[in-house]
Amino acid sequence: MRVDARGLTFEVIVDGPPDGVPALLLHGFPQHSGEWDDVVPTLHAAGLRTYALDQRGYSPGARPTGVADYRIPELVADVVAVLDALGLDAVHLVGHDWGAVVAWAVAAGHPDRVRTLTAVSVPHPAAMAQALANDGQQKARSSYIALFRKPDKAEKVLLAWHATALRKLLRGVGDASRVNRYADPMREPGALTAALNWYRAMSRADLASVGPVAVPTTYVWSDRDVAIGRTAAEACAANVTGEYRFVQLAGVSHWIPDAAPGPLAEAILARASGTAPAGGTA
């Protein structure tokens, strides 16, 4: 379905029992709402109604051209406005990668709209900012961001030769058809630039300014994540004042919703129901 909010039009995939408890799902870079396809059947079976949002820059009708239009406060305001448009007072909030950054910031700034938070792969933005400032390994893991922030050059590198570099970046999501599912939309005019503008608008100050999270929270991290190291992951706990769980998935890459949808769904449901997860908790 299409949702009009803040003068933009967002694509939202709605599914699950009509009277189910709502869960809002936020994707990461360079994916889209389809990254949740293998996660949501388990959520639906447990009674959740899911709303998978194609965020700013990814929905064709929500693609402003200015870099500043992609700062974290704008992304947060989108989520709140979409919730208003959908008539949802409060949701179980789930975010992966950049979607996790937005989810952390929504939970910190608008706790009345968030029943529970499950953040996937990327830790609390303040923990990330601290690691980027002080941890050499995290600096090395995040070195790719320097390319992503270069206008035109990043697009040329990632899209050259039928988007070979972009497809290589996505190889952890699964087979070629799954890689194509995410890479092909990024080849549409303006799509990759809009997605990269999230990185270009990012500042360490914006990350550090996200406050502590008081809602019940689970952070899911995988030990083969090439982008996020253990230092940043373990620093996350200091930025949550509510009930907190750290779920570590062994042998799983950064692309958790694609690579480990079952364990992720279990972690989301354990958080949403307030029960302890079956395993994999540190």
Side-chain angles (χ1 to χ4, degrees):
M1 67 181 294
R2 293 178 178 173
V3 175
D4 293 326
R6 305 187 71 209
L8 304 171
T9 301
F10 295 89
E11 306 289 336
V12 185
I13 298 176
V14 184
D15 204 352
D19 59 348
V21 178
L24 182 68
L25 313 177
L26 305 177
H27 64 84
F29 172 90
Q31 297 176 280
H32 50 66
S33 56
E35 77 167 274
W36 302 107
D37 284 0
D38 291 341
V39 178
V40 293
T42 302
L43 305 186
H44 298 158
L48 294 185
R49 183 164 178 81
T50 58
Y51 299 79
L53 171 66
D54 281 338
Q55 297 188 81
R56 175 178 292 234
Y58 294 85
S59 288
R63 195 170 283 167
T65 58
V67 170
D69 293 323
Y70 294 86
R71 290 184 60 214
I72 292 173
E74 296 294 336
L75 308 173
V76 170
D78 288 344
V79 170
V80 174
V82 167
L83 291 179
D84 289 343
L86 290 169
L88 301 176
D89 292 332
V91 296
H92 296 295
L93 185 59
V94 184
H96 171 244
D97 186 76
W98 260 110
V101 175
V102 178
W104 283 112
V106 171
H110 303 271
D112 56 315
R113 310 304 298 268
V114 180
R115 296 169 183 251
T116 67
L117 169 66
T118 303
V120 187
S121 297
V122 176
H124 188 285
M128 191 66 190
Q130 182 182 20
L132 285 170
N134 302 313
D135 181 58
Q137 284 193 351
Q138 187 56 59
K139 291 178 183 179
R141 289 172 183 266
S142 299
S143 60
Y144 67 92
I145 294 176
L147 170 63
F148 285 8
R149 289 170 65 91
K150 294 180 179 178
D152 298 327
K153 182 176 181 179
E155 286 88 339
K156 290 178 181 178
V157 169
L158 291 172
L159 294 179
W161 297 102
H162 305 289
T164 296
L166 183 62
R167 295 179 197 283
K168 184 177 180 181
L169 182 152
L170 284 161
R171 65 179 179 265
V173 304
D175 61 19
S177 64
R178 190 175 288 260
V179 169
N180 291 341
R181 186 184 187 199
Y182 299 130
D184 288 347
M186 288 291 98
R187 300 177 69 190
E188 297 172 2
L192 181 58
T193 295
L196 289 169
N197 278 343
W198 289 51
Y199 290 93
R200 293 163 183 166
M202 179 184 71
S203 71
R204 196 170 295 171
D206 276 355
L207 294 174
S209 69
V210 177
V213 171
V215 305
T217 297
T218 293
Y219 171 49
V220 183
W221 176 73
S222 46
D223 63 3
R224 291 191 181 178
D225 191 322
V226 298
I228 306 296
R230 184 172 294 277
T231 296
E234 293 184 348
C236 191
N239 295 279
V240 182
T241 60
E243 201 273 317
Y244 177 71
R245 297 180 192 138
F246 174 33
V247 175
Q248 178 179 318
L249 302 181
V252 178
S253 74
H254 174 79
W255 312 99
I256 293 175
D258 293 278
L264 176 55
E266 291 175 7
I268 295 168
L269 290 176
R271 172 49 64 197
S273 66
T275 62
T281 304

